[in-house]
């Protein structure tokens, strides 16, 4: 004879497994949509755990081409990151942490200050298979800030330092003397 309680428990376990698979499938689809959005709004690069570039999204590819570079020439992140930044990034990501910092990239003999966020995006058998690196260019923000400060302290007509610059310099001088 089959015990009704045992049968009910088995059915409940199967229903839980089916529900978990359904939820997992929904999560995978949601993550896929997030990845598409991230690719559309960021410069992104994908590398393996050996620092080899596996993919560059279209926005970053276009940016690299605009710098008269061949995107395919970037085979490894060693080509664009400074050594210490690579070390810090890989150490954090390979320990399953998120790396987020401002770094300097070297692209076609030009330096770009960027905010970088990197994380393990594919893990198989407890081993990191893919790392996603997102870039946000802050060089233009810094240039805009410098231009704004420059306009603030210069007379628009003559281009000479204005009264605000004089007061700022006097304040700086006063603070130096008092310390």
């Amino acid at each position: 004879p089959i015990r009704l309680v045992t049968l009910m428990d088995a059915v409940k376990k199967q229903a839980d497994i089916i529900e978990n698979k359904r939820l997992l499938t929904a999560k995978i689809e949601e993550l896929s949509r997030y990845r598409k959005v991230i690719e559309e709004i960021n410069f992104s690069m994908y590398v393996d755990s050996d620092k080899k570039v596996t993919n560059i999204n279209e926005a970053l590819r276009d940016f690299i081409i605009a710098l008269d570079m061949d995107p395919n020439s970037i085979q490894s992140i060693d080509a664009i990151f400074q050594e210490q930044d690579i070390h810090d990034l890989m150490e954090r990501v390979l320990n399953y942490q998120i790396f987020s910092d401002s770094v300097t990239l070297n692209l076609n003999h030009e330096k770009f200050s960027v905010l970088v966020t990197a994380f393990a995006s594919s893990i198989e058998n407890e081993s990191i298979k893919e790392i996603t690196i997102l870039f946000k260019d802050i060089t233009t923000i810094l240039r805009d800030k410098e231009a704004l400060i420059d306009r603030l302290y210069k007379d628009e007509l003559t281009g000479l330092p204005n009264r605000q610059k004089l007061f700022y310099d006097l304040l700086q001088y006063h603070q130096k003397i008092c310390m």
Side-chain angles (χ1 to χ4, degrees):
I2 298 176
R3 292 190 56 209
L4 189 56
V5 173
T6 306
L7 182 61
M8 294 285 287
D9 286 343
V11 169
K12 184 175 180 341
K13 283 180 185 177
Q14 288 298 317
D16 288 345
I17 290 171
I18 291 169
E19 179 63 16
N20 287 340
K21 283 185 178 180
R22 188 187 65 73
L23 291 173
L24 185 58
T25 302
K27 278 291 184 197
I28 290 170
E29 289 172 5
E30 184 179 3
L31 288 173
S32 176
R33 286 193 300 273
Y34 283 145
R35 183 176 183 153
K36 287 178 186 176
V37 169
I38 285 172
E39 282 189 5
E40 288 180 19
I41 63 172
N42 290 291
F43 290 156
S44 57
M45 174 184 288
Y46 303 93
V47 298
D48 61 21
S49 58
D50 294 324
K51 303 182 278 186
K52 303 290 183 239
V53 176
T54 58
N55 193 9
I56 298 174
N57 80 332
E58 200 64 35
L60 182 57
R61 187 174 295 281
D62 291 344
F63 180 75
I64 292 169
I65 291 170
L67 293 173
D68 293 327
M69 286 182 66
D70 177 12
N72 297 324
S73 69
I74 303 172
Q75 300 293 318
S76 169
I77 59 174
D78 295 321
I80 58 173
F81 280 88
Q82 295 178 7
E83 190 174 328
Q84 184 61 45
D85 293 331
I86 293 172
H87 177 267
D88 295 345
L89 183 148
M90 295 303 288
E91 182 178 357
R92 299 279 315 263
V93 172
L94 292 176
N95 285 312
Y96 302 99
Q97 297 174 344
I98 295 175
F99 174 87
S100 185
D101 204 353
S102 175
V103 301
T104 301
L105 295 182
N106 300 309
L107 291 168
N108 203 20
H109 308 295
E110 288 188 53
K111 294 187 183 292
F112 294 89
S113 296
V114 295
L115 295 174
V116 172
T117 303
F119 53 91
S121 53
S122 176
I123 302 170
E124 292 177 15
N125 301 324
E126 297 183 26
S127 176
I128 294 174
K129 297 295 181 196
E130 183 180 68
I131 299 167
T132 298
I133 304 175
L134 305 175
F135 304 92
K136 180 166 177 66
D137 183 12
I138 61 172
T139 305
T140 54
I141 296 169
L142 295 175
R143 285 185 195 141
D144 291 347
K145 180 181 173 187
E146 289 172 6
L148 183 62
I149 290 171
D150 195 43
R151 281 197 314 236
L152 179 66
Y153 290 134
K154 285 190 178 175
D155 184 283
E156 289 183 32
L157 184 61
T158 65
L160 297 172
N162 62 15
R163 185 177 293 156
Q164 290 171 323
K165 176 69 169 155
L166 174 66
F167 291 141
Y168 176 79
D169 288 345
L170 287 172
L171 179 65
Q172 295 296 317
Y173 181 72
H174 178 72
Q175 288 176 346
K176 249 187 212 179
I177 292 173
C178 291
M179 295 206 164

